Amino acid sequence: MIRVPVDLREMVIALAGHAGQAIMQVYGRGFEVSHKDDASPVTDADLLANRIIVEGLARITPNLPILSEESAQVSWEERQHWTSYWLVDPIDGTREFVKRNGQFSVNIALIHQGAPYFAVIQEPVTGTVWHATRGELAYRREHNHDTALHTRTPASAPLQVAVSRSFNSDRVDAMLQRMGPVQSIRLGSSLKLCHIAEGRLDVYPRLGPTSEWDTAAGQCILHAAGGNVLSLQTGKPFRYNRRPSLLNGEFIALGDLSLPWRQWLVD
């Protein structure tokens, strides 16, 4: 079992805050957008936040490897031997950052034996932090005050359903039709999972591509609050660093795990 002492937790929260402040400096002055090989956007803010987080984690925990979206060239031959490691998305929701709608986050997760064990998500625009350790409670931190989080259980109609701001499809719309009375809320990045953990939303179906760094931190926080992120293929929570590909399959995030989500599936 790995331990996350209070001082380590606080150092990672502070590191996420430092990255968030740097992101907002770029956000305020303007920036150029380039594109990676997969056509996803990247900005100076992504690279600056990545450097702050990676250098900080290497200083705090020099014996733990780090896998980040902006430095994801680590081979499977190397990372398949990792027992514990940091999984980082310096800006989750770069598309939202580029659109300047404020709905992006800093994601840092500690993965242990394939499961998200500790996580911090920071919202740069507001400074709000969500954090959790596996087997303990999830918290929302504002102005240095922590509030314990609990999902909305049992969920009641109309279901509050998160819909991606940048990715949607006819299949998602068909799935919403099968849920019965719903209120759909468009929201960017891992903030969707944080809002489910808070009990403000109930469901988030994702039928498009994501990567492991997109979901790990939010999964940890949601699980600690009483929900989870479930693979539509297996019905089980996502596991991490278990295969060469870093892409996730389709999933559904639930606050109330008793919801009949299999009845909502579409071909």
Side-chain angles (χ1 to χ4, degrees):
M1 184 65 67
I2 194 170
R3 289 185 63 251
V4 182
V6 173
D7 60 344
L8 175 59
R9 180 192 70 199
E10 295 304 320
M11 284 189 286
V12 177
I13 289 174
L15 188 60
H18 184 195
Q21 291 170 358
I23 289 166
M24 291 308 296
Q25 290 176 358
V26 177
Y27 195 63
R29 69 171 185 250
F31 49 86
E32 294 185 359
V33 182
S34 56
H35 290 82
K36 294 181 281 190
D37 292 343
D38 64 358
S40 61
V42 63
T43 70
D44 291 345
D46 294 87
L47 302 178
L48 177 59
N50 183 70
R51 185 168 68 250
I52 290 169
I53 295 168
V54 170
E55 290 179 357
L57 291 175
R59 183 174 62 253
I60 294 167
T61 55
N63 295 324
L64 285 180
I66 304 165
L67 181 65
S68 169
E69 177 180 12
E70 305 309 334
S71 53
Q73 296 81 24
V74 183
S75 69
W76 169 240
E77 287 72 24
E78 178 180 349
R79 60 183 172 84
Q80 66 179 319
H81 303 293
W82 293 355
T83 301
S84 302
Y85 69 101
W86 293 105
L87 183 57
V88 175
D89 194 344
I91 300 182
D92 182 36
T94 299
R95 286 179 173 84
E96 316 311 326
F97 179 88
V98 170
K99 294 174 185 176
R100 293 183 174 277
N101 63 27
Q103 296 180 0
F104 49 88
S105 62
V106 175
N107 295 3
I108 304 175
L110 177 61
I111 309 298
H112 179 61
Q113 294 182 344
Y117 193 82
F118 165 68
V120 174
I121 292 177
Q122 198 261 8
E123 185 179 29
V125 170
T126 64
T128 301
V129 171
W130 294 264
H131 64 94
T133 302
R134 191 174 185 87
E136 302 179 16
L137 296 177
Y139 297 93
R140 174 188 173 113
R141 178 174 296 187
E142 293 181 293
H143 309 297
N144 293 318
H145 175 72
D146 281 347
T147 301
L149 304 181
H150 305 280
T151 59
R152 192 166 76 123
T153 307
S156 58
L159 289 176
Q160 306 295 302
V161 182
V163 179
S164 175
R165 274 196 170 275
S166 296
F167 299 94
N168 204 1
S169 67
D170 291 341
R171 292 176 63 222
V172 171
D173 292 338
M175 197 170 181
L176 294 178
Q177 291 291 326
R178 296 190 179 195
M179 291 183 188
V182 303
Q183 181 178 2
S184 60
I185 296 93
R186 293 198 176 275
L187 191 62
S189 74
S190 60
L191 298 176
K192 295 182 283 291
L193 301 181
C194 294
H195 287 199
I196 297 175
E198 292 178 345
R200 296 167 61 185
L201 298 174
D202 297 304
V203 180
Y204 168 41
R206 181 56 184 254
L207 306 184
T210 60
S211 296
E212 293 191 352
W213 45 73
D214 295 315
T215 57
Q219 179 176 332
C220 182
I221 291 165
L222 179 53
H223 178 246
N228 222 323
V229 174
L230 303 179
S231 163
L232 293 188
Q233 182 178 13
T234 67
K236 297 179 180 179
F238 276 158
R239 303 280 290 175
Y240 293 85
N241 198 38
R242 286 298 186 253
R243 59 195 188 284
S245 174
L246 291 165
L247 293 176
N248 293 319
E250 297 178 340
F251 69 83
I252 188 164
L254 301 171
D256 180 355
L257 295 173
S258 70
L259 285 168
W261 61 270
R262 288 180 176 84
Q263 299 176 20
W264 307 335
L265 298 182
V266 294
D267 295 331

